[in-house]
Amino acid sequence: MSASYRIDGMTCQGCARSVTKAIQAVAPSAEVAVDVEAGVVTVTGPADGDQVKRAVEDAGFDFVGPA
């Protein structure tokens, strides 16, 4: 299963690493792909959308919703 989400506030690869690390902390077996320019993160594998939202926001970014 795969889901994509819009994230505001990512400006660099450091941001991408922070988002990836935050999501993998709540969904360790999920694969995370971040497109900084598009402001989209795609999570493939077992991951709860509410946990992803909380992790992104806890990392300091704005979770907009499904992409």
Side-chain angles (χ1 to χ4, degrees):
M1 182 164 91
S2 178
S4 295
Y5 306 99
R6 298 234 349 106
I7 310 296
D8 281 347
M10 296 187 299
T11 59
C12 64
Q13 289 305 311
C15 296
R17 283 190 296 277
S18 294
V19 169
T20 299
K21 186 176 179 180
I23 294 171
Q24 288 178 332
V26 298
S29 60
E31 181 178 318
V32 180
V34 179
D35 184 336
V36 173
E37 287 185 24
V40 173
V41 62
T42 301
V43 182
T44 304
D48 177 85
D50 289 334
Q51 287 182 324
V52 170
K53 177 181 188 288
R54 201 166 21 256
V56 167
E57 290 174 342
D58 287 349
F61 300 92
D62 295 321
F63 183 93
V64 178

